[in-house]
Amino acid sequence: QYALPLDIITRETFAQWMEICRQVLERPTNPARLDESPDDNMELPEWKVKKWSTHIMSRMFERYGSPGNVVSKEYEEFAKWYLETFSTGIIQALFKMLDEYRKKNYVSPRVLTDILNYLKNSVSHSFTWRIIKPHAIALIQDVIFPLMSFSDADEELWEMDPVEYIRQKFDVFDDISSPVPAAETLLHSLCKTRKGILNSVMAAFFQIINNPNITPKEKDGALHMIGSLADVLPKKKIFKDQVEQLLVTYVFPGFQSPNGHLRARSCWVLHSFHDIKIKNPENLAKIMQLSTNALLTDPDLPVKVEAAVAIQMYRVSQPESSKFIEGQVKGITIELLKVIRET
């Protein structure tokens, strides 16, 4: 966790450790033992050992095996050796596990999280990128997109306990056990650091969002992916001038959706893009109007919370937005106090 004493742990010993971790991850599981409850499956010994194997591999790579990112200079030489010695075998094992997820077989959330984090740290190295690149688009379409879409579990929690839903979505500690934030950061790394990936993601986005047969859950996933790239898109010449129109065309209509989760996602996407300069004052007025209406009139508590965050973000980043809500300050304040009391 904090140090790797290289004078005690020889390369031979370390290699044996990593081989054990790789073998544990590749060991077949017994589907007959799986329970209907995913929470119970996580407690099965065969999934607990896989969790520890991916956790060890992910931590070793992140702290000691990633050249240029190691915790201290003494590990630089070791990191170079690690990258060239273990990357191919480990990444192949990780992709085998992701293939199980693509086939709709059970993979525990903690294992998925560590796999995605390992790949995120691999994207920046040309050595490991060569291994990942042929699978990158399939990874985005078949793993990242489904993870970032509104799930059946999300829907159940939204309906049964909206306050707990809010807590989970805003809980920073939930990031270690949920693969969704890991999928977000992996997508972000791919689009930010690797040429051509952003163009492919945007092409996929337009294909999904313009599909007349799109489901609300898929629409949520597409908007979630766009919002995760809020600091990447405005910096790319090809997309810089399209962002404001993208919000108008694909996000504004979401506020009229009969699905509460899509109204909440629309608020979230708006707040994700709060840093872009809105050139048309009418669009800024519309953003403040949609967010304020959502806070004041939406029946779903998670929508109100996301709307409040959006209002606050624009207030800070674009002070001229204040004039569009001046007449409603009293109503907004009372509603915020109600939301705080309820949550």
Side-chain angles (χ1 to χ4, degrees), residues 187-194 197-198 201 229 232 236:
L187 178 71
H188 186 272
S189 295
L190 283 163
C191 291
K192 189 176 181 180
T193 56
R194 289 300 165 191
I197 297 294
L198 182 63
V201 168
L229 302 172
V232 178
K236 301 287 181 183

Side-chain angles (χ1 to χ4, degrees), residues 36-91:
E36 288 209 359
S37 159
D39 291 344
D40 292 341
N41 292 331
M42 275 164 43
E43 299 303 315
L44 290 173
E46 55 195 308
W47 281 104
K48 280 196 163 184
V49 291
K50 285 186 191 296
K51 175 192 80 174
W52 284 114
S53 76
T54 51
H55 189 63
I56 290 166
M57 290 190 289
S58 182
R59 183 51 50 98
M60 287 297 178
F61 182 41
E62 180 189 8
R63 295 182 72 84
Y64 314 110
S66 179
N69 304 317
V70 288
V71 286
S72 97
K73 289 278 189 287
E74 66 184 294
Y75 301 116
E76 280 297 347
E77 191 190 329
F78 177 86
K80 194 163 176 272
W81 172 75
Y82 176 98
L83 195 75
E84 292 172 1
T85 308
F86 301 106
S87 294
T88 305
I90 289 177
I91 291 175

Side-chain angles (χ1 to χ4, degrees), residues 158-176:
W158 177 290
E159 287 171 5
M160 302 273 292
D161 192 345
V163 174
E164 182 55 29
Y165 178 89
I166 293 162
R167 286 202 184 111
Q168 276 194 18
K169 294 300 170 190
F170 285 89
D171 181 8
V172 290
F173 297 110
D174 197 45
D175 287 7
I176 59 163

Side-chain angles (χ1 to χ4, degrees), residues 173-231:
F173 297 110
D174 197 45
D175 287 7
I176 59 163
S177 56
S178 165
V180 178
E184 275 180 31
T185 51
L186 173 54
L187 178 71
H188 186 272
S189 295
L190 283 163
C191 291
K192 189 176 181 180
T193 56
R194 289 300 165 191
K195 199 175 174 185
I197 297 294
L198 182 63
N199 291 13
S200 300
V201 168
M202 292 307 291
F205 166 76
F206 288 120
Q207 190 180 351
I208 294 164
I209 206 90
N210 292 316
N211 177 357
N213 301 317
I214 189 174
T215 68
K217 288 176 180 172
E218 288 169 340
K219 196 170 198 174
D220 177 82
L223 291 171
H224 193 172
M225 287 171 73
I226 288 299
S228 302
L229 302 172
D231 67 334

Side-chain angles (χ1 to χ4, degrees), residues 91-148:
I91 291 175
Q92 283 172 351
L94 300 182
F95 273 119
K96 275 186 195 168
M97 187 55 73
L98 288 180
D99 209 40
E100 291 300 308
Y101 175 80
R102 287 171 69 188
K103 291 173 184 165
K104 305 281 190 281
N105 293 329
Y106 177 79
V107 177
S108 87
R110 281 294 299 273
V111 169
L112 258 181
T113 302
D114 280 325
I115 289 174
L116 296 172
N117 283 333
Y118 195 105
L119 294 175
K120 174 198 75 179
N121 292 324
S122 304
V123 166
S124 57
H125 300 291
S126 55
F127 186 89
T128 36
W129 173 241
R130 281 199 298 273
I131 308 166
I132 296 169
K133 189 179 178 182
H135 311 281
I137 301 304
L139 177 66
I140 292 165
Q141 288 175 341
D142 302 340
V143 178
I144 293 175
F145 174 62
L147 280 170
M148 291 177 77

Side-chain angles (χ1 to χ4, degrees), residues 5-17:
L6 299 175
D7 46 350
I8 299 172
I9 298 165
T10 63
R11 288 188 174 186
E12 290 75 19
T13 311
F14 186 85
Q16 287 171 343
W17 276 7

